[in-house]
Amino acid sequence: MKARIEELRLSFKAALAECKSGAELEEIRIAYLGKKGHIAELMKGLRDVADKKEAGQLINGLKTEIEAAIAEADEQFKRAAIEAQVRSAKKYNPTLVTERELGSYHPITLATREVCDVFLGMGFTVENFDEIVDDYQCFEALNIPKHHPARDMQDTYYLDNGQLLKTHTSAAQNSIMKKYGAPLRAIFPGRCFRNESTDACHENTFFQMEGMMIDENISISNLIYFMKTMLSEVFQRDVKVRLRPGFFPFVEPGFELDINCAICGGEGCPSCKNSGWLELCPCGMIHPRVLEEGGIDTEKYTGFAFGLGLTRLAMMKYGVKDIRDFNSGSLKSLSQFKSI
Ligand code: PHE
């Protein structure tokens, strides 16, 4: 019996040394510890042994040895399996550049930044202003009293409390004059709203950029100089412009500055209402009443103001034929602009 136990101990060790997988280990376990395995066989053989106690202890010793060895080997195979899984998995690499869809700037943002840069270079500050204003800011302070026919052109959206969505960036003029006094050089880009039927060149929501310069001896020639400099910088070429007289209650004299339509080259197209020209920048010398309302000494100071159509400018600059594309939220058209 002793010899048989020793023989099994050696054969088990040999089998374990050869074992390469969890499945093989299970086969060994069944062969030795299973119901019909070698240990069970030894137990059966006990019947014919004289010293049952000693033999029983020896068999149990071998059984415990085999159980422990199998448990340890099993543990090793499991650990190896996990390590293999980790090794074969795609490694996380924080520096890896993956393909991502990059967003792009809205063309209005690009145009705004460009115009701001030009004016910043000429000593203007850039001001932020509200979209919700009151009647005084949008009209009264700009020499447009109630029942003035000029209000017809600027119907807008009114809030229950009497405030309104600003119809033009000029609504900030009064506040900015009061804030800084004279001399003053400021531009203020902003979103404007009007009750408007939409078509290829009209929108109910659009962007303007207002500019104001107030100082001693400011004249129309200063106005023309700044407008021309700005436009040729933005378009990177000499832009054809024309000045027509234009009426706005808050400027005197007032002008319409038109630029040659860049989409059709002046031939006439829906974007320019077939005229070859696009109204881009109404402007003029600030009306003395408006200056007074802003607390500016009209004996000493004069100034000019302009209301650049930023949305129109972006249409010209990027060849956008339909103004409605800007607010469409269509990634197809908007993603064509510079990536971030
Ligand atoms: N605020 C005017 C408009 O939107 C434009 C304008 C601005 C005219 C400044 C003259 C001076 O129609």
Side-chain angles (χ1 to χ4, degrees):
M1 178 58 115
K2 270 189 191 169
R4 176 71 185 135
I5 290 175
E6 209 41 48
E7 196 185 303
L8 279 178
R9 176 174 280 123
L10 289 176
S11 76
F12 171 74
K13 279 188 178 162
L16 194 64
E18 290 288 303
C19 178
K20 286 189 195 67
S21 70
E24 279 178 31
L25 186 69
E26 180 62 6
E27 275 172 29
I28 297 173
R29 193 189 65 78
I30 292 168
Y32 285 82
L33 303 174
K35 268 187 196 152
K36 291 177 184 161
H38 298 305
I39 297 289
E41 213 175 279
L42 284 177
M43 288 296 199
K44 259 189 223 162
L46 265 183
R47 260 174 300 177
D48 312 322
V49 177
D51 190 348
K52 290 192 174 54
K53 195 179 170 201
E54 196 201 357
Q57 277 174 350
L58 286 173
I59 297 171
N60 267 333
L62 176 64
K63 192 183 165 202
T64 322
E65 232 174 80
I66 292 177
E67 278 172 350
I70 286 182
E72 196 193 316
D74 190 46
E75 187 65 28
Q76 272 172 15
F77 281 126
K78 279 186 183 151
R79 209 180 304 136
I82 291 172
E83 275 167 20
Q85 210 176 0
V86 170
R87 239 178 286 124
S88 71
K90 244 192 171 178
K91 292 238 175 73
Y92 169 65
N93 177 355
T95 64
L96 202 68
V97 180
T98 52
E99 291 236 348
R100 273 191 298 151
E101 289 268 335
L102 288 181
S104 55
Y105 284 116
H106 194 282
I108 301 281
T109 305
L110 295 173
T112 309
R113 289 187 179 175
E114 204 163 332
V115 180
C116 283
D117 273 353
V118 177
F119 278 102
L120 281 168
M122 298 193 289
F124 284 69
T125 60
V126 180
E127 304 293 324
N128 215 347
F129 201 69
D130 311 333
E131 287 180 348
I132 297 175
V133 297
D134 56 33
D135 191 87
Y136 173 79
Q137 292 169 308
C138 202
F139 302 119
E140 295 275 344
L142 292 165
N143 199 26
I144 313 175
K146 290 203 171 50
H147 312 298
H148 192 290
R151 288 200 183 204
D152 266 6
M153 310 261 297
Q154 304 205 2
D155 187 19
T156 180
Y157 305 90
Y158 286 82
L159 278 69
D160 287 343
N161 66 4
Q163 286 186 305
L164 49 114
L165 299 187
K166 73 168 183 257
T167 58
H168 51 177
T169 40
S170 307
Q173 281 193 12
N174 184 267
S175 305
I176 290 173
M177 282 182 212
K178 284 176 177 159
K179 184 172 171 191
Y180 294 108
L184 166 68
R185 284 182 195 204
I187 51 169
F188 24 112
R191 185 154 52 171
C192 304
F193 309 84
R194 286 189 199 179
N195 182 6
E196 191 96 60
S197 309
T198 57
D199 60 30
C201 49
H202 292 91
E203 248 292 14
N204 51 27
T205 306
F206 54 96
F207 286 80
Q208 287 187 340
M209 174 162 322
E210 192 91 357
M212 256 194 323
M213 180 171 183
I214 302 173
D215 209 332
E216 292 175 39
N217 303 318
I218 295 292
S219 70
I220 297 170
S221 35
N222 297 106
L223 167 65
I224 294 171
Y225 167 80
F226 279 103
M227 291 296 96
K228 274 199 157 171
T229 309
M230 184 271 293
L231 290 170
S232 53
E233 293 245 1
V234 169
F235 288 97
Q236 293 290 306
R237 61 181 166 87
D238 250 354
V239 180
K240 266 195 201 166
V241 296
R242 72 174 187 191
L243 268 183
R244 290 177 290 124
F247 174 74
F248 303 93
F250 39 95
V251 284
E252 180 58 35
F255 306 101
E256 288 283 3
L257 186 140
D258 300 342
I259 69 165
N260 194 266
C261 178
I263 289 173
C264 61
E267 303 263 298
C269 67
S271 307
C272 61
K273 291 188 221 151
N274 292 313
S275 70
W277 293 94
L278 261 197
E279 262 178 51
L280 188 66
C281 193
C283 51
M285 300 303 295
I286 304 174
H287 197 289
R289 253 188 244 156
V290 175
L291 288 173
E292 270 163 24
E293 200 65 40
I296 307 285
D297 178 358
T298 49
E299 294 292 320
K300 195 169 172 197
Y301 296 108
T302 49
F304 67 76
F306 61 87
L308 177 70
L310 263 184
T311 301
R312 288 261 165 90
L313 182 93
M315 286 173 83
M316 288 288 100
K317 190 168 162 64
Y318 299 112
V320 176
K321 293 195 179 69
D322 194 320
I323 193 170
R324 290 166 294 192
D325 286 351
F326 290 125
N327 290 346
S328 68
S330 154
L331 293 181
K332 248 191 200 167
S333 55
L334 297 178
S335 62
Q336 293 169 36
F337 298 91
K338 205 161 64 182
S339 285
I340 291 174

